[in-house]
Amino acid sequence: MRKIEFTATEKDNGVTIKDYLKAFGVSSALLTKLRQTENGVTVNGTFARTIDTLKCGDKLCILIENRGHMPSPAKMDVEICFEDEDIIALDKPPFMPVHESRNHIGDTLSNFVAFHLDEDTAFRAVFRLDRDTSGLVLVAKHALAAAKLAGNIDKDYYALVSGRLENSGTVDAPIARCGDSIIKRKVSGDGERAVTHYEVVKTVGDNTLVRCKLETGRTHQIRVHMAHIGHPLVGDSLYGGDCSVINRQALHCKDIYFKHPVSGKKMHITCDFPSDIRL
């Protein structure tokens, strides 16, 4: 149960609790759950209806239940980069899926989170990474945090690409499925708009480390776009990368930036490069 407290100011005089909470980011569905929870909404320690109005100095409190299905717990070696009552940021190792699937039961990031939190709650990854991509994954501990963070996170991906790139740039090229494949993608005029900004960081032997920022979030976007301009990711066998140095695509989500879903504080979380991306 997450308890969140607010103090009404002069500008909140006469504002209904419902409108106050909606302005904060509480959804209609969560408002309904709050109404159904004992002492889900209180003002100055007393039960309150969401149609009641606030006055300056009122102490509004909401209780968010976070019950839900969590996969079976499993102890694994995963670094926690940040954690508080609302979120947890983890450095996902390569070759670890985020969610369970038919072929991956008990060996995913969700299983580790179940072990770490040790409570009957839902697993809410705010975004996901491909199984072989390493780096930061942000998990919300309750529905309010998940709703406020969705689509509001900036990420810096680092990719080691084949060949020497001299200049930074942008790839604006639509991406579509490749034939009947459910996995592979390609640049195609009939695809969905996809935009990747890349910045040259440094040359690493015959390859180049680039920092990528995404305007869109298409499947395999960085991998497809870099291959499209003739510089596939090192280790990316699906899109023509050199696999002699690393046995997975050399792609790492190193930094994430966002506003904290409860405090509103600007957050920047970072993690190190994994050992298999040798720089």
Side-chain angles (χ1 to χ4, degrees), residues 173-224:
I175 292 176
R177 285 182 183 270
C178 193
D180 294 329
S181 174
I182 62 172
I183 299 174
K184 194 172 183 180
R185 300 294 192 269
K186 65 179 179 180
V187 168
S188 174
D190 61 356
E192 295 182 287
R193 183 170 185 261
V195 181
T196 302
H197 304 284
Y198 63 90
E199 177 186 354
V200 173
V201 177
K202 66 177 180 178
T203 299
V204 183
D206 293 328
N207 304 312
T208 308
L209 180 69
V210 297
R211 177 168 54 239
C212 298
K213 287 185 175 290
L214 304 180
E215 271 192 34
T216 53
R218 309 304 175 203
T219 299
H220 296 179
Q221 182 172 315
I222 293 172
R223 299 164 65 187
V224 172

Side-chain angles (χ1 to χ4, degrees), residues 138-170:
L138 188 63
V139 175
K141 289 188 174 182
H142 51 78
L144 176 60
K148 293 190 70 173
L149 289 168
N152 294 308
I153 301 173
D154 291 324
K155 313 175 196 71
D156 284 348
Y157 290 92
Y158 285 76
L160 188 64
V161 303
S162 304
R164 296 198 171 195
L165 261 172
E166 300 298 329
N167 301 305
S168 303
T170 295

Side-chain angles (χ1 to χ4, degrees), residues 4 10 41 44 48 53 70 76 99-100 108 114 118 136 156 158 160 163 186 193 199 204 215 254:
I4 302 177
E10 285 188 10
V41 180
N44 303 323
T53 57
M70 183 73 86
M76 290 179 280
H99 296 275
E100 285 192 327
T108 73
D118 191 26
L136 291 169
D156 284 348
Y158 285 76
L160 188 64
K186 65 179 179 180
R193 183 170 185 261
E199 177 186 354
V204 183
E215 271 192 34
K254 190 176 189 300

Side-chain angles (χ1 to χ4, degrees), residues 73-137:
K75 186 176 181 180
M76 290 179 280
D77 185 16
V78 177
E79 180 183 357
I80 297 172
C81 299
F82 178 85
E83 183 177 14
D84 64 11
E85 291 182 284
D86 305 294
I87 56 176
I88 177 170
L90 308 115
D91 183 2
K92 185 185 81 67
F95 311 113
M96 178 183 289
V98 173
H99 296 275
E100 285 192 327
S101 64
R102 184 174 59 185
N103 296 322
H104 289 278
I105 302 293
D107 60 351
T108 73
L109 195 67
S110 67
N111 301 108
F112 169 79
V113 173
F115 171 83
H116 174 71
L117 296 181
D118 191 26
E119 57 187 56
D120 186 18
T121 184
F123 177 69
R124 295 183 173 92
V126 181
F127 60 90
R128 67 179 65 190
L129 300 179
D130 290 342
R131 182 182 74 92
D132 292 351
T133 299
S134 58
L136 291 169
V137 174

